[in-house]
Amino acid sequence: MNMKLTGPVAGAGLSLLFVAFAGAATMLSGGSTLTTSASSASEGSVTATAPTTSYSSSTSSSATTTSTFADFDFANGTKLPGKATLWLGNATVAPGSGVAYVPVRLDRDTPNTVIARVITVNGSGTLRALSGYHYETVDTVVIFRPGDPLVQTVAVPIIGMAQGQQFQLKLREVPWGGLQGQSVATVTATSATAATAKATGTFRQPRSFAATGTLQFELAKDTHKRSPDGGWNRWATSLSHGRTQIANGETGLYLDSTVFPGVEGPVYWGSQGLVLHSQKLKSPIHHEGRNWYYGATVLDGRNFLASQIGYGQYEWEARMPSRRGSWPAFWLVSTSGWPPEIDVYEGFGYQSYWDFDRHVAHTIHGGSGGVRSFQRGVTIQTEQAYGLKDYSTGFHRFAVDIQRDYITWFVDGVETYQSVNPFKGHRWYPIMNVAVKTTSAYDDGSGDMIIKKFRIYSAP
């Protein structure tokens, strides 16, 4: 979510409405609009010239990423290297061959994970190749992690293609975490030129989550404390600027039963863990000059010393809500003020495309003094990319590892995203919340986030 400390805050994880699409507008506090464009100067721009990188590479990377951005001037967390542009390359295959290799390329080293979904498409004209007759359908995910070689190939099984027959490979949408170059590649059977070769090189496998720091905090029912503004040993049930986020378009009032007696929940211990309960109120609550018809919920660690670290790991185990209009998030804000911000998990339930059981969003926000200068992240369909799903029907682990060189995100112990760390020297405090952004009946599915475990590990 996304804060701005001048005026009402823009809320936990406003971040990435859908950063994959150019021109997505993000509301900042005070009602102003920040438009993020895939071709903006701060994010890098797409040019008409294809990258010249060869599709054969011997570059290797180890399980521990070595940053190629060590000399980049992050300007105290206000700048980030530009996005890499991803291209699909045309390919040739020899008639009678059993496989075609289609190159997928980045035009530069990437400071963050880039994920592209690609699919085969039938050819056109009299020499069109057809799925199931001439080639097998491919619908797959291509992942580039920081430090990886800049070219890899997608293998398409060929059933049988004659001279001149062709089909295509195309991007299903703008690459997550990168810009879009050539989005459609043509695969042609020909004996006139050498067949496109399979890319070589070593690609880093995803990391597995392991806590390397010292256990500093663990959520437990018998020691859990909270109050409206929090304290050195307790969570706050408000955000640093208050209990509303109008500039975010949120319609939920962040509740506390000691401030608003008689409301359901909004935070309580259930049989499966700590429940953060969002709701449509039985009766509206008048607060700050207007009526509120929905109740949101938050636990904020801005004053809770045990929840704050500089480097180390945060790990949540939780079940997400499924209600349309809910906006659950786990996020971190700098103790020196917003921005920066790290969104460990966000669920954009107010967006029509969002699938609570398959989508996960990770984002960082940079800037200073209440002004955001960049945001970068991904919305991932994790079932296809990593085989992970069912976040609203079962408990899953969401974690982030903050090191001096890289920030790495994990779901169920599997690395799902990585970004170079532009925020060196900051300390962080956690926020977990279920915002509400709807005017609907708000009664489908569940509006609750249930937190089964929460641990914090600190590192030097």
XYZ file of all heavy atoms in Angstrom, residues 240-327:
703
model
N -0.575 5.875 10.947
C 0.133 7.016 11.529
C -0.616 8.324 11.358
O -0.458 9.247 12.151
C 1.527 7.129 10.900
O 1.425 7.319 9.499
N -1.452 8.423 10.327
C -2.190 9.653 10.056
C -3.628 9.586 10.529
O -4.356 10.566 10.420
C -2.174 9.925 8.558
C -2.806 8.800 7.792
N -2.147 7.622 7.571
C -4.038 8.668 7.250
C -2.951 6.810 6.905
N -4.096 7.416 6.698
N -4.095 8.427 11.005
C -5.470 8.340 11.476
C -6.183 7.076 11.050
O -5.558 6.036 10.829
N -7.488 7.173 10.893
C -8.325 5.993 10.654
C -9.038 6.003 9.305
O -9.927 5.172 9.068
C -9.368 5.860 11.778
C -8.719 5.636 13.131
C -9.716 5.308 14.247
N -8.979 4.969 15.453
C -8.483 3.769 15.736
N -8.677 2.775 14.876
N -7.801 3.552 16.830
N -8.662 6.896 8.420
C -9.291 6.927 7.090
C -8.225 7.107 6.019
O -7.134 7.626 6.273
C -10.313 8.074 6.980
O -9.635 9.328 7.110
C -11.383 7.958 8.053
N -8.579 6.700 4.804
C -7.678 6.859 3.655
C -8.514 7.286 2.447
O -8.662 6.545 1.477
C -6.947 5.546 3.374
C -6.200 5.011 4.582
C -4.779 4.627 4.243
O -3.946 5.485 3.991
N -4.502 3.350 4.235
N -9.040 8.485 2.527
C -9.941 8.989 1.499
C -9.232 9.106 0.158
O -9.787 8.782 -0.897
C -10.534 10.344 1.928
C -11.379 10.167 3.200
C -11.390 10.934 0.807
C -11.868 11.472 3.792
N -7.982 9.558 0.175
C -7.259 9.769 -1.079
C -6.990 8.475 -1.818
O -6.733 8.487 -3.014
C -5.949 10.497 -0.815
N -7.045 7.355 -1.110
C -6.886 6.039 -1.724
C -8.186 5.517 -2.322
O -8.209 4.428 -2.880
C -6.430 5.036 -0.663
C -5.009 4.580 -0.876
O -4.313 5.087 -1.723
N -4.599 3.603 -0.109
N -9.259 6.254 -2.115
C -10.559 5.770 -2.545
C -11.141 4.742 -1.600
O -12.140 4.076 -1.938
N -10.548 4.585 -0.428
C -11.043 3.588 0.521
C -12.361 4.052 1.129
O -12.542 5.234 1.443
C -10.018 3.329 1.630
C -8.754 2.673 1.127
C -7.771 2.333 2.238
O -8.226 2.075 3.380
O -6.555 2.330 1.959
N -13.263 3.112 1.327
C -14.571 3.418 1.916
C -14.703 2.850 3.319
O -15.756 2.985 3.940
C -15.697 2.838 1.034
O -15.464 1.436 0.835
C -15.733 3.542 -0.323
N -13.653 2.226 3.827
C -13.691 1.618 5.148
C -13.030 2.493 6.204
O -11.968 3.077 5.983
N -13.642 2.563 7.356
C -13.109 3.243 8.531
C -12.351 2.221 9.366
O -12.888 1.153 9.682
C -14.268 3.837 9.337
C -13.956 4.483 10.687
C -13.102 5.746 10.490
C -15.258 4.817 11.416
N -11.092 2.525 9.711
C -10.301 1.595 10.513
C -10.793 1.626 11.959
O -10.712 2.645 12.635
C -8.807 1.939 10.410
C -8.242 1.578 9.064
C -8.167 2.513 8.040
C -7.824 0.273 8.809
C -7.667 2.168 6.793
C -7.316 -0.082 7.561
C -7.251 0.870 6.560
O -6.756 0.519 5.321
N -11.297 0.490 12.405
C -12.056 0.414 13.655
C -11.220 -0.071 14.832
O -10.223 -0.773 14.677
C -13.250 -0.529 13.478
C -14.274 -0.157 12.398
C -15.339 -1.241 12.290
C -14.898 1.212 12.694
N -11.658 0.309 16.003
C -11.181 -0.210 17.280
C -12.393 -0.216 18.197
O -13.085 0.801 18.317
C -10.066 0.680 17.845
C -9.450 0.140 19.124
O -10.207 -0.200 20.065
O -8.214 0.070 19.206
N -12.661 -1.344 18.831
C -13.877 -1.456 19.654
C -13.834 -0.553 20.875
O -14.886 -0.253 21.458
C -14.089 -2.914 20.074
O -12.967 -3.406 20.771
N -12.642 -0.095 21.283
C -12.582 0.843 22.407
C -12.875 2.264 21.956
O -13.251 3.121 22.766
C -11.193 0.801 23.081
O -10.198 1.281 22.172
C -10.849 -0.605 23.521
N -12.711 2.541 20.671
C -13.007 3.862 20.124
C -14.440 3.915 19.603
O -15.132 4.933 19.746
C -12.019 4.203 18.990
C -12.340 5.568 18.378
C -10.586 4.181 19.500
N -14.889 2.824 19.019
C -16.248 2.717 18.482
C -16.933 1.523 19.133
O -16.970 0.426 18.557
C -16.207 2.547 16.961
C -15.405 3.595 16.251
C -14.126 3.312 15.774
C -15.916 4.873 16.066
C -13.389 4.259 15.111
C -15.168 5.841 15.392
C -13.905 5.540 14.923
N -17.474 1.685 20.341
C -18.061 0.547 21.067
C -19.196 -0.100 20.277
O -19.961 0.564 19.581
C -18.588 1.197 22.347
C -17.794 2.453 22.508
C -17.537 2.937 21.119
N -19.266 -1.427 20.363
C -20.366 -2.170 19.760
C -20.106 -2.672 18.362
O -20.928 -3.430 17.822
N -18.980 -2.322 17.744
C -18.702 -2.822 16.402
C -18.225 -4.271 16.477
O -17.681 -4.716 17.493
C -17.631 -1.968 15.691
C -18.125 -0.549 15.499
C -16.309 -1.999 16.446
N -18.459 -5.011 15.405
C -17.971 -6.386 15.334
C -16.448 -6.388 15.256
O -15.855 -5.564 14.575
C -18.507 -7.080 14.083
C -19.983 -7.330 14.083
C -20.430 -8.001 12.790
O -19.559 -8.277 11.930
O -21.635 -8.236 12.633
N -15.848 -7.358 15.954
C -14.385 -7.478 15.867
C -13.736 -6.239 16.444
O -14.002 -5.876 17.591
N -12.968 -5.487 15.676
C -12.470 -5.804 14.335
C -11.214 -6.683 14.362
O -10.802 -7.200 13.337
C -12.170 -4.429 13.756
C -11.820 -3.615 14.962
C -12.619 -4.132 16.092
N -10.590 -6.806 15.557
C -9.439 -7.688 15.727
C -9.726 -8.593 16.913
O -10.059 -8.119 17.999
C -8.132 -6.898 15.990
C -6.952 -7.860 16.109
C -7.884 -5.864 14.902
N -9.620 -9.906 16.701
C -9.875 -10.827 17.805
C -9.180 -12.153 17.522
O -8.829 -12.467 16.382
C -11.375 -11.047 18.004
C -12.094 -11.675 16.828
C -12.235 -13.068 16.732
C -12.633 -10.895 15.811
C -12.890 -13.653 15.662
C -13.286 -11.465 14.731
C -13.408 -12.842 14.662
O -14.045 -13.425 13.589
N -9.004 -12.930 18.573
C -8.406 -14.256 18.438
C -9.500 -15.282 18.199
O -10.439 -15.406 18.983
C -7.604 -14.628 19.678
C -6.292 -13.892 19.751
C -6.063 -12.694 20.351
C -5.062 -14.310 19.160
N -4.766 -12.321 20.175
C -4.111 -13.296 19.450
C -4.652 -15.417 18.427
C -2.791 -13.374 19.035
C -3.343 -15.486 18.015
C -2.420 -14.483 18.303
N -9.393 -16.005 17.099
C -10.316 -17.078 16.792
C -9.639 -18.423 16.976
O -8.485 -18.503 17.428
N -10.320 -19.471 16.597
C -9.782 -20.819 16.790
C -8.576 -21.099 15.904
O -7.765 -21.974 16.203
C -10.878 -21.858 16.520
O -11.348 -21.745 15.177
N -8.427 -20.340 14.790
C -7.326 -20.592 13.856
C -6.226 -19.540 13.904
O -5.198 -19.702 13.252
C -7.880 -20.692 12.431
C -8.803 -21.880 12.215
C -9.307 -21.939 10.795
O -9.909 -20.978 10.284
N -9.068 -23.054 10.125
N -6.439 -18.478 14.680
C -5.425 -17.449 14.768
C -6.028 -16.078 14.993
O -7.209 -15.935 15.351
N -5.212 -15.049 14.776
C -5.640 -13.674 14.973
C -6.432 -13.220 13.743
O -5.932 -13.276 12.617
C -4.417 -12.778 15.174
C -4.685 -11.319 15.517
C -5.398 -11.195 16.856
C -3.375 -10.526 15.522
N -7.664 -12.776 13.963
C -8.577 -12.410 12.878
C -8.590 -10.897 12.705
O -8.805 -10.154 13.666
C -9.999 -12.913 13.154
C -10.939 -12.514 12.015
C -10.019 -14.423 13.369
N -8.347 -10.438 11.483
C -8.545 -9.047 11.100
C -9.825 -9.010 10.277
O -9.861 -9.506 9.140
C -7.356 -8.522 10.290
C -6.176 -7.951 11.087
C -5.572 -9.003 11.995
C -5.113 -7.378 10.156
N -10.882 -8.450 10.866
C -12.236 -8.558 10.350
C -12.658 -7.263 9.671
O -12.630 -6.193 10.277
C -13.186 -8.869 11.518
C -14.633 -8.922 11.156
N -15.153 -9.852 10.284
C -15.681 -8.156 11.555
C -16.457 -9.668 10.169
N -16.803 -8.638 10.926
N -13.037 -7.353 8.392
C -13.631 -6.215 7.693
C -15.107 -6.493 7.491
O -15.538 -7.649 7.470
C -12.929 -5.960 6.362
O -13.171 -7.019 5.449
N -15.908 -5.435 7.305
C -17.358 -5.614 7.360
C -18.100 -4.440 6.744
O -17.541 -3.349 6.582
C -17.789 -5.719 8.830
C -17.428 -4.476 9.646
C -17.550 -4.677 11.134
O -18.660 -4.739 11.669
N -16.404 -4.797 11.807
N -19.362 -4.687 6.400
C -20.298 -3.598 6.152
C -21.014 -3.346 7.463
O -21.575 -4.269 8.072
C -21.294 -3.937 5.051
C -22.211 -2.756 4.703
C -23.031 -2.992 3.457
C -23.806 -1.738 3.093
N -24.614 -1.938 1.860
N -20.984 -2.108 7.939
C -21.511 -1.792 9.259
C -23.030 -1.895 9.297
O -23.716 -1.547 8.327
C -21.082 -0.378 9.664
C -19.569 -0.159 9.784
C -19.251 1.328 9.911
C -19.017 -0.932 10.967
N -23.541 -2.376 10.437
C -25.006 -2.447 10.608
C -25.609 -1.061 10.641
O -26.721 -0.837 10.147
C -25.333 -3.219 11.893
C -24.940 -4.689 11.847
C -25.323 -5.377 13.156
C -25.070 -6.891 13.070
N -23.632 -7.196 12.891
N -24.877 -0.111 11.214
C -25.285 1.290 11.233
C -24.068 2.136 10.896
O -22.962 1.850 11.358
C -25.820 1.698 12.619
O -26.946 0.916 12.976
N -24.229 3.179 10.092
C -23.059 3.998 9.726
C -22.461 4.693 10.943
O -23.155 4.980 11.925
C -23.631 5.000 8.725
C -25.099 5.039 9.000
C -25.475 3.673 9.469
N -21.177 4.964 10.876
C -20.465 5.679 11.924
C -20.059 7.042 11.385
O -19.438 7.141 10.320
C -19.220 4.901 12.386
C -19.633 3.582 13.054
C -18.380 5.740 13.349
C -18.458 2.704 13.433
N -20.397 8.105 12.122
C -20.029 9.452 11.708
C -18.638 9.755 12.252
O -18.393 9.705 13.453
C -21.036 10.477 12.228
C -20.891 11.827 11.593
N -21.309 12.092 10.307
C -20.342 12.985 12.071
C -21.046 13.346 10.007
N -20.452 13.907 11.065
N -17.717 10.033 11.340
C -16.330 10.274 11.755
C -15.699 11.273 10.797
O -15.820 11.130 9.583
C -15.540 8.958 11.726
C -14.102 9.093 12.113
N -13.701 9.288 13.418
C -12.961 9.060 11.366
C -12.377 9.353 13.464
N -11.909 9.228 12.228
N -15.066 12.309 11.367
C -14.390 13.342 10.579
C -15.301 13.956 9.515
O -14.906 14.151 8.368
C -13.101 12.797 9.948
C -12.048 12.397 10.979
C -10.769 11.878 10.345
O -10.791 11.553 9.128
O -9.752 11.785 11.054
N -16.531 14.229 9.931
C -17.439 14.992 9.089
C -18.211 14.216 8.045
O -18.892 14.822 7.218
N -18.124 12.877 8.086
C -18.884 12.103 7.109
C -19.287 10.764 7.686
O -18.742 10.319 8.702
C -18.073 11.890 5.827
C -16.774 11.155 6.046
C -16.033 10.910 4.752
N -16.614 9.825 3.974
C -16.106 9.366 2.832
N -15.023 9.941 2.322
N -16.669 8.369 2.187
N -20.260 10.114 7.048
C -20.701 8.791 7.472
C -19.869 7.713 6.786
O -19.576 7.807 5.585
C -22.177 8.578 7.129
C -23.098 9.340 8.066
O -22.763 9.572 9.231
N -24.258 9.738 7.566
N -19.527 6.708 7.557
C -18.789 5.556 7.054
C -19.676 4.321 7.164
O -20.253 4.059 8.221
C -17.490 5.369 7.837
C -16.543 6.512 7.622
C -16.519 7.701 8.291
C -15.526 6.586 6.630
N -15.557 8.518 7.792
C -14.916 7.852 6.772
C -15.070 5.710 5.645
C -13.864 8.267 5.946
C -14.028 6.126 4.832
C -13.438 7.378 4.988
N -19.772 3.572 6.069
C -20.676 2.428 6.008
C -19.936 1.090 6.059
O -20.578 0.044 6.096
C -21.514 2.515 4.724
C -22.412 3.734 4.696
C -21.944 4.944 4.172
C -23.702 3.692 5.222
C -22.743 6.073 4.159
C -24.514 4.829 5.206
C -24.024 6.014 4.682
O -24.826 7.127 4.694
N -18.625 1.142 6.065
C -17.819 -0.084 6.077
C -16.747 0.038 7.150
O -16.258 1.140 7.450
C -17.160 -0.323 4.721
C -18.134 -0.417 3.582
C -18.547 0.735 2.896
C -18.676 -1.645 3.196
C -19.451 0.660 1.854
C -19.582 -1.726 2.144
C -19.973 -0.573 1.489
O -20.886 -0.655 0.461
N -16.381 -1.107 7.692
C -15.338 -1.156 8.701
C -14.115 -1.884 8.173
O -14.207 -3.017 7.675
N -12.946 -1.250 8.257
C -11.664 -1.852 7.910
C -10.916 -2.154 9.208
O -11.356 -1.784 10.299
C -10.858 -0.917 7.024
N -9.761 -2.805 9.085
C -9.015 -3.192 10.285
C -7.529 -3.174 10.001
O -7.095 -3.480 8.885
C -9.462 -4.589 10.763
O -8.747 -4.936 11.940
C -9.212 -5.646 9.715
N -6.746 -2.795 11.029
C -5.306 -2.686 10.854
C -4.576 -2.922 12.166
O -5.086 -2.594 13.239
C -4.919 -1.292 10.286
C -5.258 -0.172 11.275
C -3.451 -1.239 9.907
N -3.391 -3.516 12.066
C -2.416 -3.557 13.154
C -1.145 -2.912 12.611
O -0.589 -3.359 11.606
C -2.142 -4.987 13.612
C -3.286 -5.681 14.349
C -2.915 -7.120 14.676
C -3.670 -4.928 15.629
N -0.696 -1.859 13.278
C 0.401 -1.020 12.811
C 1.504 -1.030 13.859
O 1.248 -0.806 15.042
C -0.149 0.394 12.588
C 0.869 1.397 12.096
O 1.880 1.606 12.800
O 0.652 2.008 11.031
N 2.753 -1.281 13.434
C 3.852 -1.415 14.377
C 4.736 -0.186 14.496
O 5.889 -0.304 14.919
N 4.219 1.014 14.172
C 5.074 2.210 14.141
C 5.703 2.534 15.499
O 6.788 3.126 15.562
C 4.291 3.406 13.614
C 3.120 3.856 14.497
C 2.346 4.985 13.827
N 1.217 5.457 14.603
C 0.011 4.915 14.575
N -0.222 3.867 13.779
N -0.972 5.411 15.311
N 5.029 2.188 16.594
C 5.565 2.442 17.933
C 6.000 1.170 18.655
O 6.451 1.236 19.804
C 4.524 3.179 18.783
C 4.193 4.541 18.220
O 5.080 5.277 17.798
N 2.911 4.885 18.183
N 5.852 0.023 17.994
C 6.097 -1.286 18.606
C 7.553 -1.670 18.310
O 7.875 -2.160 17.229
C 5.112 -2.287 18.011
C 5.069 -3.626 18.690
C 5.829 -3.915 19.814
C 4.244 -4.629 18.196
C 5.780 -5.157 20.426
C 4.180 -5.866 18.799
C 4.958 -6.128 19.915
N 8.427 -1.466 19.269
C 9.861 -1.600 19.034
C 10.266 -3.001 18.616
O 11.164 -3.178 17.784
C 10.632 -1.171 20.287
C 10.444 0.286 20.708
C 11.305 0.595 21.929
C 10.765 1.240 19.569
N 9.650 -4.026 19.190
C 10.027 -5.400 18.881
C 9.708 -5.786 17.446
O 10.229 -6.784 16.938
C 9.344 -6.369 19.843
N 8.877 -5.004 16.769
C 8.476 -5.336 15.391
C 9.375 -4.682 14.352
O 9.178 -4.875 13.158
C 7.025 -4.914 15.145
O 6.911 -3.506 15.028
N 10.376 -3.928 14.778
C 11.151 -3.104 13.856
C 12.558 -3.666 13.651
O 13.248 -3.994 14.615
C 11.223 -1.677 14.387
C 9.854 -1.036 14.534
C 9.862 0.291 15.267
O 10.919 0.834 15.567
N 8.678 0.807 15.561
N 12.961 -3.769 12.390
C 14.318 -4.228 12.050
C 14.856 -3.393 10.894
O 14.095 -2.723 10.189
C 14.352 -5.724 11.668
C 13.500 -5.986 10.407
C 13.917 -6.603 12.820
C 13.656 -7.393 9.844
N 16.181 -3.469 10.701
C 16.804 -2.862 9.529
C 16.987 -3.898 8.440
O 16.459 -3.780 7.340
N 17.724 -4.971 8.758
C 17.910 -6.095 7.838
C 17.436 -7.366 8.527
O 17.468 -7.485 9.756
C 19.375 -6.212 7.421
C 19.881 -4.982 6.715
C 20.701 -4.072 7.373
C 19.519 -4.726 5.397
C 21.165 -2.931 6.722
C 19.978 -3.581 4.747
C 20.798 -2.684 5.421
O 21.227 -1.555 4.775
N 16.996 -8.311 7.725
C 16.486 -9.560 8.269
C 15.267 -10.024 7.506
O 15.107 -9.713 6.313
N 14.385 -10.747 8.199
C 13.249 -11.361 7.524
C 11.951 -11.139 8.317
O 11.955 -11.170 9.553
C 13.457 -12.877 7.364
C 14.667 -13.262 6.532
C 15.945 -13.324 7.321
O 15.936 -13.720 8.492
N 17.056 -12.952 6.709
N 10.870 -10.912 7.587
C 9.511 -10.951 8.115
C 8.817 -12.143 7.474
O 8.907 -12.335 6.260
C 8.738 -9.692 7.759
C 9.134 -8.447 8.511
C 10.123 -7.598 8.021
C 8.502 -8.094 9.711
C 10.485 -6.445 8.694
C 8.848 -6.933 10.391
C 9.840 -6.116 9.878
O 10.194 -4.967 10.549
N 8.081 -12.922 8.270
C 7.367 -14.085 7.734
C 5.986 -14.177 8.365
O 5.857 -14.252 9.588
C 8.142 -15.378 7.999
C 7.463 -16.613 7.401
C 8.192 -17.916 7.722
O 8.939 -17.943 8.724
O 7.999 -18.893 6.981
N 4.963 -14.129 7.521
C 3.577 -14.289 7.942
C 3.040 -15.625 7.434
O 3.373 -16.054 6.333
C 2.683 -13.216 7.337
C 2.781 -11.837 7.884
C 2.020 -11.284 8.875
C 3.636 -10.782 7.420
N 2.366 -9.967 9.059
C 3.359 -9.638 8.186
C 4.632 -10.707 6.438
C 4.017 -8.425 8.007
C 5.293 -9.503 6.254
C 4.994 -8.386 7.026
N 2.178 -16.249 8.215
C 1.384 -17.373 7.728
C -0.070 -16.989 7.918
O -0.510 -16.747 9.057
C 1.704 -18.667 8.478
C 0.957 -19.874 7.909
C 1.376 -21.198 8.535
O 2.338 -21.199 9.325
O 0.720 -22.222 8.219
N -0.803 -16.911 6.823
C -2.142 -16.343 6.906
C -3.056 -16.925 5.841
O -2.602 -17.497 4.847
C -2.083 -14.829 6.756
N -4.348 -16.739 6.069
C -5.371 -17.029 5.064
C -6.009 -15.714 4.662
O -6.405 -14.921 5.522
C -6.437 -17.983 5.611
C -7.366 -18.527 4.535
C -8.404 -19.480 5.126
N -9.485 -18.747 5.776
C -10.397 -19.314 6.572
N -10.329 -20.599 6.849
N -11.347 -18.586 7.111
N -6.123 -15.506 3.362
C -6.594 -14.231 2.843
C -8.113 -14.192 2.725
O -8.766 -15.231 2.599
C -5.971 -13.967 1.476
C -4.482 -13.760 1.546
S -4.084 -12.372 2.610
C -2.382 -12.757 3.016
N -8.686 -12.984 2.744
C -10.117 -12.860 2.457
C -10.410 -13.187 0.999
O -9.490 -13.296 0.174
C -10.418 -11.390 2.772
C -9.122 -10.703 2.706
C -8.061 -11.703 3.053
N -11.674 -13.336 0.686
C -12.089 -13.595 -0.699
C -13.152 -12.613 -1.155
O -13.655 -12.727 -2.267
C -12.636 -15.027 -0.817
O -13.743 -15.210 0.055
N -13.512 -11.682 -0.320
C -14.637 -10.780 -0.594
C -14.250 -9.709 -1.600
O -13.221 -9.040 -1.455
C -15.116 -10.161 0.716
C -16.344 -9.268 0.586
C -16.918 -8.957 1.955
N -17.478 -10.167 2.569
C -17.863 -10.248 3.839
N -17.722 -9.213 4.650
N -18.376 -11.378 4.299
N -15.077 -9.521 -2.618
C -14.855 -8.488 -3.613
C -14.955 -7.120 -2.944
O -15.928 -6.815 -2.272
C -15.895 -8.612 -4.728
C -15.676 -7.708 -5.920
C -14.338 -7.929 -6.584
N -14.117 -9.321 -6.966
C -12.952 -9.795 -7.363
N -11.883 -9.024 -7.390
N -12.844 -11.049 -7.716
N -13.920 -6.310 -3.136
C -13.875 -4.998 -2.496
C -12.950 -4.956 -1.298
O -12.642 -3.869 -0.795
N -12.485 -6.124 -0.844
C -11.502 -6.130 0.246
C -10.106 -5.900 -0.326
O -9.827 -6.214 -1.479
C -11.563 -7.442 1.030
O -11.175 -8.541 0.232
N -9.213 -5.382 0.529
C -7.884 -4.988 0.089
C -6.883 -5.379 1.177
O -6.390 -4.535 1.911
C -7.872 -3.493 -0.177
C -6.642 -2.934 -0.828
C -5.494 -3.568 -1.140
C -6.476 -1.569 -1.231
N -4.596 -2.705 -1.715
C -5.184 -1.468 -1.791
C -7.297 -0.438 -1.180
C -4.688 -0.258 -2.285
C -6.797 0.757 -1.672
C -5.505 0.844 -2.221
